[in-house]
């Protein structure tokens, strides 16, 4: 495991060495007055209330509508997190944001198999399918990140994060049916400045951050930033004698701002991010009954092998997975935003290229037995985006019009291989006496390890994705109090795919053969058994469509500090193509109608009110929403396959509705607090051909599908909340003036389903997490504090999952235990 702390220290030293000549150069020049900062840079922190908050103003500037506005003037449900709050609460990646934002959900088996949802919708839980897109748009410095895996980076020099809830299809694009996350990094400064931070904690946690900025010339400024995180794993693998689920990441970003003219700014950015931990495995959580014969369920199979997991208590944090583990996640890119002030309006261009390299290794049988010995789908993606926007502000109205182009090419070359335990674990030996292990007759295929040992599937997957759009948004002030805001977006999508799975196995005569549905070995009993576990497939799916999104927003200024609004939005999430394999007919031919899925069509209604009182020390925002989705893209397990595979299907209709409230009080410079809560009602309104829950699988009479209309959607808690407070007192330390402070933040979520079709065995129980911090800071940017997260060592699962073969084994992902440490930060 590489230790990246020395690299961070070296990078910090190198940056500082570069910075001093910049500072000297700046002193010899007379720099131009700085332009007003972008909206994000003027924002105050909302949760946690760090030292830079302004209690009397309560003003937070955002760019949710592509122009700088006070968040309380924007008729959209928005949560805002400033960089200081992120640093203080330890929210250094998207996953940790969920503890501050109750309606933001993050689920990850590994970086590739990650989904981010808002209000419970966005992407289905389960194994990622290359041919679909997310429903939460992620933007960093205005650049769209198509794959969630490419946004699992540790934050580097963040200025502000805006979480926009509800469809944002007009301005943020087709795949924002649930909302958008807009991340802004700190811009280069024409005044020399720098920051460094080091954190140490238990589990050998080490984190270092550094940034420096200053002028290169009168019209050129630069910012360089780096971050590294390293932590020992929280689960011990007794099979390999190593800790897994570790953290190991490095991020570097460089930005150059060129003020080409008085009216034109060009910003060139490049970043590189690498995560390379020993990760990721889900471990034994529990066992449930299935319809498989008892001698073919987990307990009997494990006994037949003389096998037992190292612990049946997942919170002992032990596993014995025997396949190699890796989760190498590399991504980066270049971008060039340009802002041209034309007097009457501003023309913006954002040009970007990004890449993503994914190098995994998994244990997909979730045990210490050699069942699936290799499972990996390494991928490479290139993404190109170009956006043009023109924003105009007139008397009584303003508007934004623009065009967007996107191209993505992704190649995945996967490999899955079965081991000597696969035959007995996976194959059905036929009718056997009750209580028998199923191997009384040696000739039974399930009793012969050679039948499936070495069965190998080589998968070749290709995706090309092109998207073009034109959009416009108008804000028309009918009166001093009433504003009407219509928006529209026309989008064209085309996806073409290639899926080829070539399967090789051992025939009964001992020769290696292609596993096929025709040919001289098609009826060989070993080949027939192998086809039932991993069938060859080839198909080339295509999706092509034009879609129209539109919305209408009405806002009314009731008083200077109270804004009421109503929104209707018609949005969509792009249709997709299945690139994980599809069901086959009796002859083994892929059912091509399952090769593509229809777009999600979203009807969304929202009512809200934003208010401030007590001289704007108190903010209270309330939102009610009702979202209906037709052709919801659901993840379905393919019961035809002996391996854990998934494909997508359209559910007829789902509904998500609820109420959210956000409360912030900045009582004085000495105390502030916040609380956010949400109630969310959610269900499949109609899904009559859904996958059945796992307890109904595995039997000869198990239903091929189930009607789950009226059941919960996966991943959504009915109740969710976050809250926190901070208090401080003046203090002197080593002759300097400052303040001591105590902070607390917490989150809660109620029970949720972790499976596409709800099962009592796959519900994750509700839990709450509590975090504390205490320290000393000064106005000059020095801050030293101790912290503890999950202070009461809550035992909870992030996710539960069914496992292959209908054996009844449930694998789980325990959340982080209690962690503690200290941080020192200083500006210079």
């Amino acid at each position: 495991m590489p230790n990246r702390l020395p690299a961070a220290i070296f990078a910090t030293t190198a940056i500082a060495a570069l910075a001093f000549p910049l500072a000297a150069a700046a002193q010899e020049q007379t720099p131009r007055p700085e332009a007003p900062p972008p909206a994000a840079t003027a924002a105050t922190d909302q949760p946690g209330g760090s030292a830079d908050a302004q209690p009397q103003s309560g003003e937070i500037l955002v760019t949710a509508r592509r122009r700088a506005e006070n968040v309380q003037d924007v008729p959209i449900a928005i949560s805002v997190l400033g960089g200081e709050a992120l640093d203080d609460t330890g929210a250094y990646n998207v996953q940790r944001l969920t503890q501050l934002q109750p309606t933001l959900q993050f689920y990850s088996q590994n970086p590739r198999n990650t989904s981010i949802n808002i209000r419970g919708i966005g992407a289905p839980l389960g194994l990622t399918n290359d041919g679909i897109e997310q429903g939460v748009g992620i933007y960093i410095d205005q650049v769209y990140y198509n794959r969630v895996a490419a946004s699992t980076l540790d934050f580097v020099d963040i200025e502000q994060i805006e979480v926009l809830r509800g469809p944002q299809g007009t301005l943020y694009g087709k795949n924002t049916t649930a909302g958008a996350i807009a991340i802004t990094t700190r811009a280069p400064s024409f005044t020399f400045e720098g920051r460094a931070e080091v954190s140490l904690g238990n589990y050998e946690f080490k984190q270092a951050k550094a940034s420096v900025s200053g002028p290169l010339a009168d019209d050129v400024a630069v910012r360089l930033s780096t971050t590294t995180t390293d932590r020992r794993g929280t689960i011990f693998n007794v099979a390999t004698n190593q800790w897994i689920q570790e953290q190991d990441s490095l991020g570097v970003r460089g930005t150059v701002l060129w003020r080409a003219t008085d009216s034109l700014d060009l910003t060139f950015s490049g970043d590189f991010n690498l995560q390379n931990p020993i990760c990721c495995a889900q471990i034994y959580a529990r066992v449930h009954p299935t319809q498989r014969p008892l001698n073919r369920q987990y307990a009997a199979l494990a006994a037949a092998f003389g096998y037992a997991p190292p612990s049946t208590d997942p919170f002992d944090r032990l596993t014995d997975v025997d396949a190699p583990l890796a989760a190498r996640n590399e991504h980066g890119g270049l971008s060039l935003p340009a802002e041209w002030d034309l007097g009457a309006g501003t023309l913006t261009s954002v040009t970007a290229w990004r890449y993503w390299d994914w190098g995994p290794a998994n244990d997909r049988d979730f045990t210490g037995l050699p069942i699936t010995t290799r499972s990996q789908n390494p991928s490479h993606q290139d993404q190109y985006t170009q956006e043009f926007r023109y924003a105009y502000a007139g008397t009584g109205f303003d508007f934004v019009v623009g065009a967007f182009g996107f191209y993505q090419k992704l190649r995945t070359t996967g490999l899955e291989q079965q081991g000597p335990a696969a035959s007995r674990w996976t194959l059905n030996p036929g009718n056997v006496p009750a209580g028998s292990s199923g191997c009384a007759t040696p000739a039974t295929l399930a009793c012969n390890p050679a039948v499936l040992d070495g069965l190998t599937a080589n998968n070749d997957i290709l995706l090309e994705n092109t998207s073009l759009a034109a959009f416009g948004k108008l804000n028309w002030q009918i009166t001093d109090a009433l504003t009407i805001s219509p928006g529209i977006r026309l989008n064209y999508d085309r996806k073409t795919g290639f899926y080829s799975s070539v399967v090789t196995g051992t025939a009964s005569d001992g020769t290696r053969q292609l596993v096929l549905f025709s040919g001289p070995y098609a009826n060989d009993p070993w080949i027939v058994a192998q086809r039932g576990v991993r069938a060859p497939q080839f198909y080339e799916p295509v999706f092509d469509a034009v879609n129209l999104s539109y919305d209408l927003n009405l806002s009314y200024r009731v008083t200077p500090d109270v804004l009421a609004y109503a929104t209707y939005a018609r949005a969509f999430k792009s249709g997709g193509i299945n690139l994980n394999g599809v069901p086959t007919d009796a002859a083994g031919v892929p059912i091509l109608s399952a090769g593509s899925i229809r777009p999600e069509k979203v009807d969304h209604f929202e009512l809200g009110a934003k208010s401030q009182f007590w001289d704007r020390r108190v903010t209270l925002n309330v939102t009610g929403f009702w979202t209906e989705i037709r052709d919801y893209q659901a993840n379905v397990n393919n019961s035809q396959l002996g391996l854990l595979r998934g494909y997508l299907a359209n559910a007829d209709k789902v509904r998500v509705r609820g109420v959210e409230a956000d409360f912030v009080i900045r009582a004085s410079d000495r105390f502030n607090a916040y609380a956010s809560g949400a109630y969310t009602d959610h269900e499949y309104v109609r899904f009559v051909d859904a996958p059945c829950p796992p307890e109904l699988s595995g039997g000869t009479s198990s239903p091929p599908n189930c009607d789950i209309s009226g059941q919960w959607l996966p991943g959504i808690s009915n109740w969710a909340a976050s809250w926190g407070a901070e208090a401080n007192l003046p203090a002197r330390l080593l002759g300097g003036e400052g303040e001591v402070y105590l902070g607390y933040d917490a989150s809660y979520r109620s029970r949720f389903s972790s499976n596409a079709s709800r099962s009592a065995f796959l519900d994750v129980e509700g839990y709450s997490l509590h975090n504390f911090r205490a320290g000393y800071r000064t106005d000059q940017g020095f801050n030293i504090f101790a912290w503890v997260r999950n202070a009461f060592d809550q035992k909870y699962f992030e996710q539960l999952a069914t496992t292959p073969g209908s054996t009844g084994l449930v694998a789980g992902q325990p959340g982080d235990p209690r962690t503690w440490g200290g941080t020192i930060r200083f500006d210079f």
Side-chain angles (χ1 to χ4, degrees), residues 27-50:
Q27 292 173 354
E28 294 171 2
Q29 300 169 0
T30 304
R32 296 168 51 193
E34 291 199 51
T41 64
T44 58
D45 294 324
Q46 192 165 340
S50 56

Side-chain angles (χ1 to χ4, degrees), residues 135 140-141 179 186 312 322 345 392 477 518 733 742 751 754 795 814 821 827:
I140 299 181
D141 290 335
R186 292 187 174 95
T312 56
D322 56 333
Y392 177 86
Q477 192 172 358
S518 62
L733 180 66
L742 176 66
R751 176 186 299 181
S754 192
K795 296 178 179 178
D827 296 343

Side-chain angles (χ1 to χ4, degrees), residues 740-817:
V740 293
Y741 63 94
L742 176 66
Y744 163 70
D745 59 88
S747 61
Y748 167 78
R749 63 179 307 183
S750 61
R751 176 186 299 181
F752 65 92
S753 169
S754 192
N755 196 57
S757 299
R758 191 182 179 195
S759 164
F761 303 105
L762 292 169
D763 274 1
V764 174
E765 294 300 319
Y767 58 87
S768 62
L769 302 175
H770 303 263
N771 312 313
F772 297 89
R773 63 187 181 277
Y776 172 82
R777 63 189 171 213
T778 69
D779 290 338
Q780 289 71 44
F782 176 77
N783 192 354
I784 183 170
F785 61 99
W787 45 264
V788 57
R789 295 167 190 144
N790 189 8
F792 305 121
D793 203 18
Q794 173 72 58
K795 296 178 179 178
Y796 68 101
F797 287 110
E798 293 180 349
Q799 199 171 347
L800 294 170
T802 187
T803 60
S806 301
T807 67
L809 174 63
V810 175
Q813 200 163 310
D816 272 357

Side-chain angles (χ1 to χ4, degrees), residues 428-573:
N428 188 346
N431 295 322
V432 294
S436 166
S437 68
C439 284
T441 304
T444 303
L445 294 182
C447 306
N448 188 340
V451 175
L452 293 186
D453 190 15
L455 178 67
T456 302
N458 287 280
N459 306 320
D460 192 6
I461 303 169
L462 178 65
L463 168 70
E464 291 193 63
N465 181 5
T466 301
S467 183
L468 302 171
F471 59 90
K473 180 75 173 179
L474 170 68
N475 299 308
W476 180 19
Q477 192 172 358
I478 305 297
T479 70
D480 289 342
L482 177 64
T483 300
I484 181 172
S485 303
I488 191 168
R489 188 181 190 106
L490 181 67
N491 201 92
Y492 167 74
D493 276 301
R494 179 174 176 81
K495 293 184 174 73
T496 59
F498 171 94
Y499 180 88
S500 173
S501 182
V502 177
V503 184
T504 307
T506 303
S508 58
D509 61 8
T511 63
R512 292 291 288 177
Q513 300 292 334
L514 290 175
V515 176
L516 300 172
F517 286 89
S518 62
Y521 284 88
N523 296 318
D524 182 280
W526 288 27
I527 298 296
V528 172
Q530 292 161 11
R531 276 204 311 263
V533 173
R534 197 64 176 95
Q537 282 196 7
F538 175 81
Y539 60 97
E540 296 179 280
V542 176
F543 173 83
D544 191 291
V546 174
N547 283 277
L548 186 69
S549 296
Y550 49 89
D551 59 37
L552 179 65
N553 177 275
L554 300 176
S555 62
Y556 187 78
R557 178 64 65 181
V558 181
T559 71
D561 290 326
V562 177
L563 177 72
Y565 64 92
T567 298
Y568 167 72
R570 179 63 184 265
F572 77 98
K573 186 169 81 170

